[in-house]
Amino acid sequence: MPVETHSIRDRAAVGRFPTVTFGYEEDAEEEKEESGENNAEEESACQRWLRKVCPCCYPTPDEDEITDTLVTGIDDLDKENEANSGKPVTSDGVKPETGGDSELDELLLKVRSIDLMKSKSGETRTEHHTNLYQSDNFIIRRGQNFKMWISLSRPFNPNTDKLHLELKTGLVPTVSKKTHVIIPLVEELQDGRWEAAIVKQDDKRIMLSVNSSPTAVIGQYQLIVETDCANGQAVSTHDPANDIYMLFNPWCEGDPVFMDSEDERQEYVLNDIGRIYYGTQHQIGERTWNYGQFDDGILAACLFVLEKSGTPASGWSDPVNVVRVISAMTNSPDDRGVLEGNWSGDYSLGTSPTVWSGSVEILKEYLKNDGTPVKYGQCWAFAGVVTTVARCLGIPSRTVTNFSSAHDTDVSLTTDVYLDENLEPIDYLNTDSIWNFHVWNDCWMARPDLPAGNGGWQAVDATPQETSQGTFCCGPASLTAIRYGQVFLKHDTPFVFAEVNSDKIYWQKKIDGTFSKIYSEKKTMGHFISTKAVGSDNCNDITHLYKHPEGSEAERIAVETACSYGSKAEAYSPSTAQDVSVEVTMEGEGPRMGADAELTIVLRNSSSEQRTVILHSQVAVMYYTGVHKATVRKDNTNVDILPNEEKILEWTLEYKDYKDQLIDQAALMMTLTGRVKETQQVVATQFSFRLRTPDLVIKPIGKAEVGEKMAVEISFTNPLPQVLKAVIFHVEGLGLLTARKINYGDIGSRASVSLTEHFIPTLPGSRKLLASLDCRQLTQVHGVTDITVEEKKSNGAL
């Protein structure tokens, strides 16, 4: 954030450009030395004589023309004379009008006012694609031209007058670190550098056209104007209303975040509504998320997040650094970032992660409470906030969901399952986990720090799982590097590779206490990697960007390349032939909450001989992160399979088995392990599924018009044969109403309810109203409706 401006005096000694390397303490010492001098008596006498001889050339200045400009040079000498003579001096260094030396003051070139033409609908903000920000601040993108008017105390004379701009940002603005920018006045502008040129002059007003660097530090800059003429220098006083907010620029080819598709820029930078996917690979659910990057106060909150990181502003010119800071600061461990993660199921001290339907409320609460982490978040909320912050600052970003997402804890680049002598899982050793789904982000940028070809989409993960260089952050990891298994390229590529393409290795404990590899699954991780499609609400499967087709030679080479750098490289070996396989399937969209869950187990014998499989099945309630909560059912059975037979077993989990154990996401996992009696072959698989929750039905009531009251009806049917206690509804919509919580109370078993909410739309256009329901017994219930808001109609009066 900008720093407090300090006056720097006696700049005439360095000509046109002021002192930029001296510290403030040194300036203070110079002022002390100057205060003892008194060498302007002859000048004062001359000035008095000139006024008497020619009052028309040296008139007495009018008090109304005295501005808040800090004057140096001649005025500093006058100031010292006044101090010695006991006469008063104004705070800006200009003496009151009483005759004497003030006539020469009229010859100085001083800034009266600055007009940045910062209207949201004005030319500059429209051309810079910042007109959507609900703020009156001057918000621009780097590497692009902008114009400004400067009103002066007299007409500017290019033959004798000089002028330059100064911008400062960060705690200690420094020229060498590009946080103190000096913008010279030139005759002809050149792209790619900080320069200004006069393009229009209207008496005492001049219009400057200013070019900025495409690699400038982003953030909030203080602006001052310094003038220089034969009679001295003058420096305008900093006015917070003229601060410049500089953003990344995907429209500028010189900016590392440049994206050449306008459709993609509209989606990944300017779209403030998105979709986030969840569930399992067999049951993909979706919810709408309000990114709200243009909402009033969100840009201030995003810059506050960068400031709270404690990183120097000089690093904020590089999108690689900025997204790494965003990743770290979105979670709260080790730096008190935006969201505190909570997967316990107890959210009584805050807001349940499933209640959030957008980032605006989260970021505003973080800013309002001066950086106190907001309670609570899980992966989709972390990812939603990252998308908001990145898009707000100008970095193209999207929210991405990976189904069957591995969490590798030992950098083996494999997902390891440890079993005892009886093929039962050894819980304390099974630290690796498989999340039903995991949500992170892709951010778009060039990667000059990596070998050519690794630019473009980069994976960034803000959910605090493992530390990276001692901090809970992850990325940016090049998707190209991930796809080819080049895990030696920064940042955190091994971790992301394991999430999407690690093999699942089963290890069995032997009598001597060591473990041997008994089975591996090669197509378990990284399915239906999903993000919102460009220009529509459809789901776009981008798995091919993260990995080659499963089982292809290219995919196997990538896995072997990656694992050769892992901690278990010596244990990695090619697969052996198998003649019995096991698979779990599910019909349709799967079971609903409150009903029995029916699955199908398929055993196949590809040999010409009969096989007997000793099959162990276990069903557990899981956190969606893959962490075990409670086992709800176990079965053991012997299955005979004829030669070349496919045997189908129907399997049912009754509601009474799981109803008292369910937690967020209603996630369960079946683990099947078995041994073929005749060959000692081991078969194993795990199948995750969820119990589908109902949607909220939202129906608009009345006409939607800016400034006119309207309503919506929200309907819901309880799917459970039990009462929902202390139900909370959460409603919000950008341009419709700010986030609102409604404490509804209890909802009876299988009961249907509805409630009506009134609000007044504030912005025209196509809008989305989001609602969610939360209670202890049921989560992940939400709904969305489209509302087209018309402009406020004129009453026809002239």
Side-chain angles (χ1 to χ4, degrees), residues 644-679:
N644 298 305
E645 182 187 16
E646 178 177 278
K647 178 154 281 189
I648 297 176
L649 307 177
E650 299 298 337
W651 184 92
T652 301
L653 178 68
E654 297 181 357
Y655 173 69
K656 65 181 178 63
D657 294 332
Y658 68 76
K659 70 182 182 70
D660 296 326
Q661 295 289 348
L662 286 183
I663 49 178
D664 294 350
Q665 308 294 330
L668 300 104
M669 184 171 70
M670 170 183 274
T671 299
L672 287 177
T673 56
R675 188 181 296 278
V676 180
K677 188 175 181 179
E678 292 81 4
T679 63

Side-chain angles (χ1 to χ4, degrees), residues 460-504:
V460 177
D461 192 348
T463 301
Q465 298 178 84
E466 301 293 328
T467 59
S468 171
Q469 297 177 321
T471 302
F472 279 103
C473 67
C474 180
S478 165
L479 266 59
T480 301
I482 295 166
R483 187 163 68 250
Y484 287 98
Q486 296 176 332
V487 296
F488 46 85
L489 297 177
K490 61 182 183 181
H491 291 280
D492 309 307
T493 309
F495 187 81
V496 182
F497 176 88
E499 287 182 304
V500 301
N501 207 14
S502 57
D503 284 351
K504 190 173 186 178

